[in-house]
Amino acid sequence: MTESPTFDSTSAAYDISTVALDGDRYEVKQSVIRNKYTVRDGDGTVVLRGKQKMFKLKEEFPFVTGDGGDAFTVKAGGIMDVAGNYAIRDAGTGEEVVVLDEDFSLFVENWTVRDPETGAPLATIRSKNKLLSALRHLVGLANLVPNKYEIADADGDHVGSIEGKFSLRDAYTVTIDDATDVPKEAVVAAACILDALENK
């Protein structure tokens, strides 16, 4: 029986070399330009910026650090993906760090963060409210009703949340209650990606 990967101080398998997200709370906010995002830490310091590249057959979201240096890129694994996977590639090493796998459903918004080589689940991000998810999609309220997501580790235990806010621009608070078992960069990137994709 294969055991789920573990995260400890001696393992950097899922770290991104260009960024260090050490806090437990981040604010993700969409700019006036659609699908362009700014991520701030608990002190209000900009730690990441991301923007979807336009006119790409494969959806692509490059992220830069608060200083403007290349951080990582999130890129769709298939052309014009409706449901598929999105690889996070470290700009410093060129290596795939994790894969964000969207479990497509009309009623529930679920994502799984996976090991890029084995496919083993590392974390899940799932909508807390099935009815709200259905309303967002079926009634066309995706841009008006903020959603809420729970972050769980590979064993299904709660480790954090993504809370949408009522705002003229999409805004989310990403909170990591227990950072030992999930790759933070992947979760924060997912907060941007799921907003962009769920609001298409």
Side-chain angles (χ1 to χ4, degrees), residues 98-101 111-115 119-125 183 186-187 190:
V98 296
V99 171
L100 307 176
D101 183 15
W111 292 76
T112 303
V113 181
R114 299 184 183 277
D115 182 287
L122 309 174
T124 59
I125 301 169
V187 171

Side-chain angles (χ1 to χ4, degrees), residues 82-83 101-112 124-138 147-150 194 198:
V82 174
D101 183 15
E102 183 184 13
D103 303 320
F104 179 72
S105 169
L106 289 177
F107 302 105
V108 183
E109 297 163 0
N110 286 335
W111 292 76
T112 303
T124 59
I125 301 169
R126 55 178 174 258
S127 176
K128 290 184 177 180
N129 191 316
K130 292 182 179 180
L131 177 59
L132 178 57
S133 292
L135 287 173
R136 281 165 54 86
H137 290 279
L138 300 179
N147 208 345
K148 297 181 179 181
Y149 305 85
E150 181 179 20
L194 65 87
E198 297 295 351

Side-chain angles (χ1 to χ4, degrees), residues 20-77:
L21 301 183
D22 300 321
D24 57 9
R25 183 183 178 93
Y26 297 90
E27 300 291 334
V28 180
K29 193 166 188 178
Q30 185 184 49
S31 74
V32 176
I33 300 174
R34 185 168 174 78
N35 293 352
K36 182 177 180 180
Y37 298 88
T38 299
V39 181
R40 298 178 186 274
D41 63 16
D43 296 325
T45 302
V46 174
V47 292
L48 288 171
R49 289 189 176 91
K51 180 181 178 181
Q52 183 178 17
K53 284 192 173 181
M54 305 304 292
F55 312 114
K56 288 282 188 179
L57 288 178
K58 291 186 178 182
E59 289 173 305
E60 186 174 344
F61 297 77
F63 283 76
V64 297
T65 65
D67 298 330
D70 292 338
F72 56 87
T73 298
V74 182
K75 189 171 183 178

Side-chain angles (χ1 to χ4, degrees), residues 180-199:
T180 57
D181 293 330
V182 297
K184 283 187 183 180
E185 293 87 354
V187 171
V188 174
C192 300
I193 299 302
L194 65 87
D195 178 79
L197 296 180
E198 297 295 351
N199 288 315

